[in-house]
Amino acid sequence: MTSKITMCEFNHHPHMLPLVSGYLQAYSQKDPEVESETEFELFTRTANTSADNIIEELVSRQSDVYAISCYIWNMGLIRKLLDPIIERVPHARIILGGPQVQGRAETYIRPEQNRIFIANGEGEVIFYEFIKEVIAGGKNFRNCPGLNFWDMKLLTTTPSPPLIKDLDDIPSPFLTGIFDDMPFVNVAYETNRGCPYTCSFCYFSRGGEYRKLRKFSQERVSKEMDWLTSRDLMYIFMADANWGVFKQDIVYSQELANYAKKRGSPTFVSFSAAKNRPNAVLEIAQIFKDAGITNSQPVSFQSLNPEVLKLISRINIKADKIDELQTLFSEQHIDSYVEMIWPLPGETLESFKQGLEVICNKGLGTITCYPTIMLPNTALWDQEEEFGFVTLEPEDALNDSKIVIQTNWVTEAEYEEGVRYYFATHILFNLGTLRCLSNYLHHDCNIPMNKLFTDFADYMKAHQENDLAFWIEDFIIEKGGFVDNGSLGMCAHRILHEERDKFQPFLYQFVSEQPWWSDKKAQMLFEVDILNTPYLYSTLPVRGNDCFENHLKYITVIDNKSGRCVAEIPSKYKKFIPQYVYSESEVNDCLNASCYEILYITNQIPYMPSWSKEQVGNYGQGRIQSNRSLMPRWEPLANAQSEQQATDDEMFVEEVF
């Protein structure tokens, strides 16, 4: 009688290929006995699927083994599944694996749950030995390596096996037919395992033998990429810890690009960039861009404070590379985003603000700031007392994590102020709502961006009658400020689409109350920002006749159609457009223009009202991380100045001087 094995994965994204399950099945079925004595089934759902529905589906299968991949984002769901499955499938065993559960049996399983096991370590060998014991009758799991389980109410731990030296010993689930009938459009894919760095907050950097990089063969990877891109694939996440660390990664990127040109697949690619290979990563980003693949190059700083980097054992991109990177990005029109974490040990509120300001001034692209999350099996997990961490569990029922809200360097009130400050930066800089004006104030008026963002953060806190300001404050106070892609993307959706006509008057109210508002140049650049604010979707929001663009004082909008408009700038101040809207490499194209066609729609997709909140948030953040391609394009036109505009110009000049 064959043993029925259900491989379960619960992901953020729908239609995600279950890579881990495929590896485990492929490695186990290398053994002819296992292949003949087992029946495998792949079961994937999104993590926000109803637990009751999943329970009914899994129980109906009456499987002998349920293997479940456990991560920070799905452990809340998985906890709800365990008791019902054990109670309603009395012959079943459950094996849990993944970074969230390793070494934490006492947290996740009770002494009476003696049919639940935890895999400690790399999964393939552990799972294979476990399945062999199940086939043999399951009488002595003490002989299986890498397990935690309760036996006679005593916690049993068996030694973990060594890592697989040659990754090609794992048969390819792509090339052996395991995924042939699996519908998917998104995939996480790896060409190597391991990470040489020791970042204390990261599971990849857990040290020991995991620091040694192990690679799948080039021949295998090339065949798998051929297979993947023949499946009408939309999104690939390169799951290697440092994409670009090997020269071969450039070759693989070119292979993907060639397939994308030929087959239209994949459409999107993302990756975790090699920490000290900026030129290689830039070359990879250029390859994807040339192939029409949507990609934004990540720059993982986490902090710009040297003391912080020392405390978290972080080897970072050298500070003198920032200017070089910014110049290369600008010249080649490549999107980028910077990853930061708040609050890390050693970081103060002031150093955090200064770090974000440096990034804004260098024009490195969107800033994505993550919370400090206490991940099991990381060095930081064991330093909670040393660094004075106070933690909070998010309200999200799916999430099983602890976020840091206080350290030896930051009080809880300062933590909240830092989150508020980051949201101000996200709104004014990432979303482009005050990008031109903030640059002018910083460079010409000696008003640091740090102060502008702080003032706006304080303004939102003081004006809770505004729906968006209330939403942000509620997010900080009631939900602990657990900033993730969903919350940042939802913020973008509200400001750039759903509540656009409400936000712009609120922003005007803020700037008009500032002491520098008497500066007429600042007033005109605010109008430039109004016209330069991007749209998130190709479906433009329904807007009334009183929308802000119809009430500009200095700039004349002479043609406003769906997805574009034509604007005339006071000729005396046409130099502001190339100075604050364009990159340095584009300035010469528009030095003499005072009339522009502003094109808003580039590669956005239509808004789908049927999308869930999670889908809206994920799309929004993905587009903001590709901010350069989202921003409107200002095309200089032959000057078509009207008589009224000429008169307005003269009046404007008189007012300024």
Side-chain angles (χ1 to χ4, degrees):
M1 182 177 178
T2 60
S3 296
K4 185 175 182 180
I5 302 167
T6 299
M7 312 294 293
C8 305
E9 293 194 27
F10 306 107
N11 295 298
H12 265 313
H13 303 292
H15 309 299
M16 194 82 181
L17 182 139
L19 179 64
V20 172
S21 297
Y23 281 146
L24 299 180
Q25 178 180 343
Y27 189 83
S28 297
Q29 289 188 317
K30 274 201 317 182
D31 184 329
E33 180 185 3
V34 172
E35 184 174 24
S36 64
E37 296 292 331
T38 58
E39 175 190 344
F40 278 83
E41 174 193 33
L42 301 176
F43 181 91
T44 66
R45 298 291 185 271
T46 54
N48 61 357
T49 304
S50 163
D52 290 339
N53 290 345
I54 292 174
I55 289 167
E56 293 305 317
E57 288 190 82
L58 292 179
V59 168
S60 70
R61 282 156 169 78
Q62 292 292 302
S63 300
D64 298 288
V65 173
Y66 296 90
I68 306 178
S69 295
C70 304
Y71 299 92
I72 188 174
W73 61 78
N74 65 18
M75 202 60 212
L77 167 67
I78 291 168
R79 280 180 148 175
K80 297 177 182 179
L81 309 180
L82 300 181
D83 280 337
I85 292 174
I86 289 297
E87 291 170 6
R88 296 173 61 183
V89 190
H91 62 278
R93 295 180 175 90
I94 298 174
I95 181 167
L96 308 175
Q100 191 66 16
V101 296
Q102 291 180 19
R104 303 185 69 203
E106 291 177 289
T107 300
Y108 291 114
I109 54 178
R110 303 186 303 275
E112 65 271 19
Q113 294 176 315
N114 58 4
R115 288 187 283 128
I116 301 178
F117 301 78
I118 285 179
N120 295 317
E122 191 171 57
E124 285 84 3
V125 172
I126 298 171
F127 183 72
Y128 163 61
E129 296 292 344
F130 175 79
I131 293 301
K132 280 207 307 181
E133 180 58 32
V134 169
I135 293 172
K139 295 181 179 179
N140 194 359
F141 286 101
R142 292 176 180 271
N143 291 332
C144 298
L147 292 181
N148 273 149
F149 59 95
W150 292 97
D151 185 14
M152 304 294 290
K153 296 198 174 181
L154 294 175
L155 183 61
T156 299
T157 301
T158 62
S160 295
L163 300 181
I164 298 171
K165 292 183 179 180
D166 183 357
L167 292 183
D168 281 350
D169 285 346
I170 307 169
S172 170
F174 306 97
L175 306 178
T176 54
I178 288 175
F179 294 140
D180 281 358
D181 298 323
M182 187 81 192
F184 67 93
V185 294
N186 304 309
V187 62
Y189 179 70
E190 62 178 2
T191 70
N192 67 64
R193 293 180 182 178
C195 179
Y197 301 110
T198 57
C199 309
S200 62
F201 56 84
C202 181
Y203 178 75
F204 272 134
S205 305
R206 54 199 184 277
E209 59 182 343
Y210 289 95
R211 293 190 67 182
K212 184 176 181 180
L213 292 172
R214 299 165 291 147
K215 297 189 289 184
F216 291 99
S217 67
Q218 180 179 348
E219 179 183 7
R220 169 180 171 148
V221 171
S222 295
K223 289 180 179 178
E224 289 179 343
M225 286 185 172
D226 184 10
W227 186 94
L228 279 167
T229 57
S230 68
R231 260 51 183 188
D232 198 22
L233 185 66
M234 184 175 73
Y235 169 67
I236 292 182
F237 169 58
M238 306 306 299
D240 300 358
N242 296 278
W243 187 249
V245 71
F246 294 118
K247 291 182 180 180
Q248 195 61 44
D249 295 342
I250 298 174
V251 176
Y252 292 149
S253 299
Q254 188 63 64
E255 287 186 26
L256 276 179
N258 292 341
Y259 284 127
K261 291 176 183 177
K262 180 180 178 181
R263 299 169 174 171
S265 171
T267 307
F268 302 91
V269 174
S270 65
F271 55 88
S272 297
K275 308 303 179 288
N276 257 333
R277 298 286 192 276
N279 291 329
V281 175
L282 184 70
E283 182 177 353
I284 289 169
Q286 185 66 55
I287 288 170
F288 289 146
K289 180 177 182 291
D290 291 344
I293 296 173
T294 300
N295 167 261
S296 185
Q297 177 173 326
V299 182
S300 301
F301 284 119
Q302 318 308 359
S303 173
L304 296 188
N305 185 334
E307 179 62 22
V308 174
L309 301 178
K310 181 180 178 181
L311 287 173
I312 63 174
S313 303
R314 174 78 175 175
I315 298 176
N316 224 336
I317 296 175
K318 304 299 186 294
D320 60 0
K321 293 290 184 181
I322 296 178
D323 288 327
E324 177 187 349
L325 279 172
Q326 191 275 334
T327 300
L328 292 171
F329 294 158
S330 179
E331 288 177 350
Q332 300 186 37
H333 310 299
I334 291 177
D335 280 310
S336 67
Y337 64 96
V338 174
E339 295 178 314
M340 301 284 280
I341 298 177
W342 166 254
L344 287 169
E347 194 83 84
T348 66
L349 177 61
E350 188 57 33
S351 69
F352 173 66
K353 288 183 176 182
Q354 289 173 352
L356 265 58
E357 183 179 48
V358 168
I359 294 167
C360 292
N361 287 334
K362 298 298 182 183
L364 278 177
T366 299
I367 302 171
T368 300
C369 185
Y370 304 108
T372 301
I373 302 177
M374 298 290 290
L375 295 177
N377 300 297
T378 64
L380 206 61
W381 180 266
D382 299 320
Q383 295 174 298
E384 186 170 356
E385 184 175 348
E386 176 186 352
F387 292 143
F389 287 164
V390 175
T391 61
L392 178 72
E393 295 183 7
E395 283 189 353
D396 183 357
L398 301 176
N399 208 311
D400 188 23
S401 64
K402 297 191 296 183
I403 62 172
V404 176
I405 61 171
Q406 182 175 318
T407 72
N408 287 337
W409 299 266
V410 172
T411 66
E412 184 174 349
E414 288 174 326
Y415 160 75
E416 292 175 355
E417 186 177 344
V419 175
R420 198 175 290 113
Y421 177 86
Y422 172 64
F423 264 105
T425 305
H426 182 59
I427 292 168
L428 302 185
F429 180 78
N430 287 350
L431 304 187
T433 60
L434 276 192
R435 186 169 290 191
C436 299
L437 178 56
S438 62
N439 275 312
Y440 168 71
L441 293 174
H442 179 83
H443 294 290
D444 292 52
C445 304
N446 200 29
I447 300 173
M449 290 186 184
N450 184 330
K451 176 169 173 48
L452 178 67
F453 298 161
T454 298
D455 289 345
F456 185 63
D458 293 342
Y459 193 83
M460 287 192 295
K461 182 181 179 182
H463 288 76
Q464 292 296 287
E465 72 280 2
N466 178 271
D467 290 344
L468 180 71
F470 178 82
W471 176 76
I472 291 173
E473 196 64 20
D474 178 70
F475 177 84
I476 294 170
I477 302 302
E478 298 299 326
K479 298 180 175 60
F482 183 72
V483 179
D484 59 7
N485 284 351
S487 57
L488 297 178
M490 182 56 68
C491 183
H493 169 79
R494 295 185 68 160
I495 287 175
L496 301 182
H497 184 76
E498 185 178 356
E499 299 175 33
R500 190 182 185 100
D501 280 354
K502 292 181 180 179
F503 174 73
Q504 289 182 339
F506 178 70
L507 189 60
Y508 172 76
Q509 182 182 334
F510 162 70
V511 297
S512 64
E513 294 179 14
Q514 302 309 305
W516 41 260
W517 185 244
S518 58
D519 183 339
K520 297 299 190 293
K521 296 178 184 178
Q523 293 182 23
M524 198 203 72
L525 282 170
F526 174 72
E527 294 189 359
V528 172
D529 275 321
I530 289 295
L531 294 177
N532 198 45
T533 299
Y535 285 90
L536 196 59
Y537 309 98
S538 60
T539 308
L540 302 188
V542 176
R543 311 191 67 190
N545 292 329
D546 60 344
C547 66
F548 212 86
E549 288 92 327
N550 292 338
H551 300 281
L552 302 182
K553 181 178 180 181
Y554 301 113
I555 299 176
T556 301
V557 177
I558 58 177
D559 187 10
N560 193 356
K561 297 180 180 178
S562 179
R564 59 175 288 277
C565 76
V566 175
E568 285 187 322
I569 312 297
S571 58
K572 191 74 174 179
Y573 296 93
K574 61 187 180 182
K575 66 179 182 180
F576 287 148
I577 303 304
Q579 186 175 357
Y580 293 108
V581 173
Y582 285 80
S583 64
E584 290 183 12
S585 62
E586 302 168 308
V587 165
N588 291 333
D589 296 335
C590 56
L591 283 177
N592 296 314
S594 59
C595 187
Y596 292 86
E597 181 179 28
I598 306 172
L599 305 174
Y600 291 99
I601 306 305
T602 53
N603 59 353
Q604 298 98 316
I605 66 173
Y607 172 58
M608 303 293 181
S610 61
W611 277 356
S612 67
K613 184 170 67 173
E614 289 79 10
Q615 288 173 308
V616 169
N618 287 330
Y619 169 78
Q621 180 61 6
R623 292 304 294 122
I624 294 304
Q625 286 181 336
S626 300
N627 185 281
R628 187 185 298 274
S629 62
L630 184 67
M631 294 300 292
R633 179 71 184 173
W634 291 56
E635 297 286 355
L637 300 175
N639 292 340
Q641 193 177 47
S642 64
E643 291 184 10
Q644 181 61 47
Q645 178 67 17
T647 302
D648 290 345
D649 281 359
E650 294 301 321
M651 294 175 61
F652 181 61
V653 172
E654 291 176 5
E655 287 179 358
V656 173
F657 294 102

